[in-house]
């Protein structure tokens, strides 16, 4: 078992990693949304 | 619907903040592991959410595969009902019941889980008719992979201070989870890069086989000796009620979050298909040199 301070680093690392993965995925969704909306606008059809 | 999304987002944000407060402040410290055990409040709810999403993907894939013909749709419906009934009956057979109890599982919980198969099957078929089943399958697979990635990242971060190693090679829970992740990543790669007309069918078939790994992952700690700890719920393990409360709050928060992400991804896929349809129409018009909306029959269009 590691020391408390060291263990806390692992705890925060896990929480930060979780939100970093979610943030990355959501940013890819936002990018894809804006690209598709732009394409649809250029084609002259209103977006959803 | 436009108003519902921000309202649900606000509720989810509040729930996530409350779950974080519970996890870091309210939940008691574990006597053996200290504070590092608090990773459980992100690791376990992410795993449960991923399993649920893969299960929905499985149901949607079966529905999609069966939707080709009326006869196959009817056959699938009766097979699913039979699976539900047989599953419940088998669970309460004396030998099976004794075996389940000896491994720490509750037969009633097992029967409820089995009954979820027909319930989800009919619910998904009713809510997502036609091609939307395929959109649902793609959505749940992608979001499920994100949650499974979190499980595979937070697991080793938790293992290092507790076990002294990042990964236990050969451990069936860890290996089967990695295999599950690889199967669904290959599913997404197939969906992304294959242009065949059969892609959706092939992907649905792959998803059905991939989903077979989910029970193996889930039940592996009951039936095999592994480095991974035994289950704390429904497996004969014990957990402080405050810890259990925090775990369930975290799961609820992650479920709401997953629902919102799936909703966004579902809409994105619909938009993507609409753009594809517009492009296809444009290329068709460009090829035939006929403006959109023309009523000329094909035989009379200029060559």
């Amino acid at each position: 078992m590691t020391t408390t301070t060291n263990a806390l680093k692992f705890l925060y690392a896990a929480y930060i990693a979780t939100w970093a993965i979610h943030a990355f995925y959501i940013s890819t969704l936002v990018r894809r949304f804006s690209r598709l909306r732009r394409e649809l606008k250029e084609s002259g059809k209103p977006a959803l | 619907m436009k108003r519902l999304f921000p309202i649900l987002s606000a509720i989810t944000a509040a729930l996530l903040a409350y779950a974080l407060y519970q996890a870091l402040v309210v939940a008691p410290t574990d006597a053996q592991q200290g504070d590092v055990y608090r990773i459980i409040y992100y690791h376990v709810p992410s795993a449960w959410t991923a399993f649920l999403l893969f299960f929905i993907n499985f149901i949607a894939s079966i529905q999609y595969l069966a939707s080709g013909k009326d006869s196959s749709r009817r056959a699938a419906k009766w097979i699913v009902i039979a699976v539900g009934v047989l599953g419940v009956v088998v669970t309460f057979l004396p030998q099976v019941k004794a075996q389940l109890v000896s491994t720490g599982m509750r037969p009633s919980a097992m029967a409820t889980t089995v009954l979820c198969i027909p319930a989800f099957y009919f619910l998904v078929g009713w809510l997502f008719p036609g091609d939307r089943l395929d959109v649902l399958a793609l959505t749940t697979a992608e979001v499920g992979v994100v949650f499974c990635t979190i499980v595979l990242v937070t697991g080793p971060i938790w293992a290092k201070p507790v076990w002294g190693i990042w990964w236990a090679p050969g451990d069936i829970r860890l290996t089967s989870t990695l295999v599950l992740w690889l199967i669904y990543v290959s599913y997404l790669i197939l969906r992304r890069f294959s242009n065949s007309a059969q892609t959706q069918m092939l992907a649905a078939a792959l998803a059905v086989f991939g989903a077979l790994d989910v029970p193996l992952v889930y039940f592996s700690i009951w039936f095999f000796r592994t480095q991974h700890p035994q289950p704390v719920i429904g497996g004969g393990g014990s957990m402080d009620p405050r810890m259990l409360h925090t775990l369930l709050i975290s799961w609820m928060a992650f479920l709401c979050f997953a629902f919102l992400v799936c909703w966004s991804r579902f809409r994105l896929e619909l938009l993507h298909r609409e753009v594809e349809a517009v492009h296809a129409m444009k290329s068709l018009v460009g090829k035939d040199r006929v403006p959109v909306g023309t009523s000329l029959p094909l035989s009379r269009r200029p060559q």
Side-chain angles (χ1 to χ4, degrees):
Chain A
M1 191 75 64
T2 49
T3 61
T4 311
T5 323
N6 207 8
L8 277 178
K9 281 182 194 168
F10 286 99
L11 172 65
Y12 293 135
Y15 278 35
I16 289 167
T18 300
W19 287 112
I21 291 166
H22 281 311
F24 175 75
Y25 179 62
I26 289 170
S27 71
T28 63
L29 287 187
V30 171
R31 268 206 308 276
R32 282 192 272 178
F33 250 122
S34 27
R35 184 175 55 80
L36 287 172
R37 281 216 174 103
R38 198 176 55 243
E39 278 184 35
L40 207 58
K41 205 175 168 185
E42 282 166 6
S43 71
K45 205 165 180 261
L48 284 172
Chain B
M1 290 297 261
K2 275 186 178 176
R3 267 191 200 169
L4 194 61
F5 192 84
I7 292 170
L8 275 179
S9 304
I11 293 170
T12 305
L15 254 178
L16 284 167
Y18 179 63
L20 186 65
Y21 170 72
Q22 289 278 328
L24 291 179
V25 181
V26 178
T29 305
D30 185 73
Q32 286 182 326
Q33 295 185 25
D35 281 320
V36 78
Y37 97 94
R38 294 176 198 274
I39 293 175
I40 196 175
Y41 301 122
Y42 272 34
H43 179 76
V44 173
S46 298
W48 288 347
T49 308
F51 291 160
L52 181 67
L53 291 170
F54 290 148
F55 178 65
I56 296 172
N57 171 272
F58 169 68
I59 296 289
S61 300
I62 288 184
Q63 288 257 16
Y64 187 77
L65 284 173
S67 64
K69 288 180 190 169
D70 268 349
S71 55
S72 53
R73 197 180 300 130
R74 270 198 302 275
K77 187 176 81 178
W78 286 111
I79 289 170
V80 166
I81 291 172
V83 165
V85 172
L86 272 177
V88 172
V89 170
V90 167
T91 306
F92 288 102
L93 286 176
Q95 297 93 333
V96 179
K97 197 175 172 182
Q99 178 71 28
L100 288 173
V101 171
S102 70
T103 51
M105 277 191 277
R106 293 191 188 121
S108 55
M110 188 72 176
T112 312
T113 310
V114 172
L115 276 179
C116 282
I117 297 174
F120 265 90
Y121 185 83
F122 292 112
L123 188 70
V124 163
W126 178 61
L127 288 175
F128 299 91
D131 225 28
R132 291 195 166 214
L133 278 171
D134 182 57
V135 179
L136 177 71
L138 176 61
T139 299
T140 47
E142 197 173 293
V143 181
V145 164
V146 172
F147 277 92
C148 199
T149 307
I150 288 165
V151 175
L152 287 170
V153 169
T154 54
I157 295 175
W158 190 6
K160 180 63 180 165
V162 177
W163 298 344
I165 46 171
W166 294 101
W167 189 266
D171 183 285
I172 190 152
R173 169 54 82 86
L174 274 59
T175 311
S176 56
T177 309
L178 180 62
V179 169
L180 182 71
W181 184 81
L182 288 171
I183 290 171
Y184 280 96
V185 166
S186 53
Y187 171 92
L188 295 178
I189 290 172
L190 175 69
R191 299 290 310 232
R192 175 73 182 80
F193 295 106
S194 171
N195 289 322
S196 158
Q198 298 294 315
T199 302
Q200 293 170 337
M201 281 290 174
L202 288 172
L206 177 63
V208 170
F209 284 110
L212 296 178
D213 192 32
V214 174
L216 178 67
V217 175
Y218 190 73
F219 293 113
S220 57
I221 47 176
W222 269 283
F223 299 119
F224 300 96
R225 288 171 64 85
T226 69
Q227 179 89 11
H228 193 281
Q230 290 300 300
V232 286
I233 298 174
S238 60
M239 195 178 201
D240 186 289
R242 286 169 298 170
M243 290 180 177
L244 185 61
H245 169 81
T246 307
L247 188 62
L248 294 178
I249 289 284
S250 290
W251 190 34
M252 201 191 295
F254 272 93
L255 275 182
C256 291
F257 181 70
F259 175 75
L260 286 175
V261 176
C262 282
W263 187 352
S264 306
R265 182 64 187 89
F266 191 87
R267 286 186 61 207
L268 178 70
E269 187 57 26
L270 291 181
L271 188 64
H272 174 70
R273 288 179 184 209
E274 196 180 339
V275 171
E276 294 258 294
V278 169
H279 284 320
M281 185 65 79
K282 271 191 169 179
S283 63
L284 203 67
V285 169
K287 198 177 169 185
D288 291 340
R289 298 183 190 286
V290 178
V292 180
T294 185
S295 55
L296 272 177
L298 274 173
S299 56
R300 293 182 62 195
R301 284 181 189 174
Q303 298 298 308

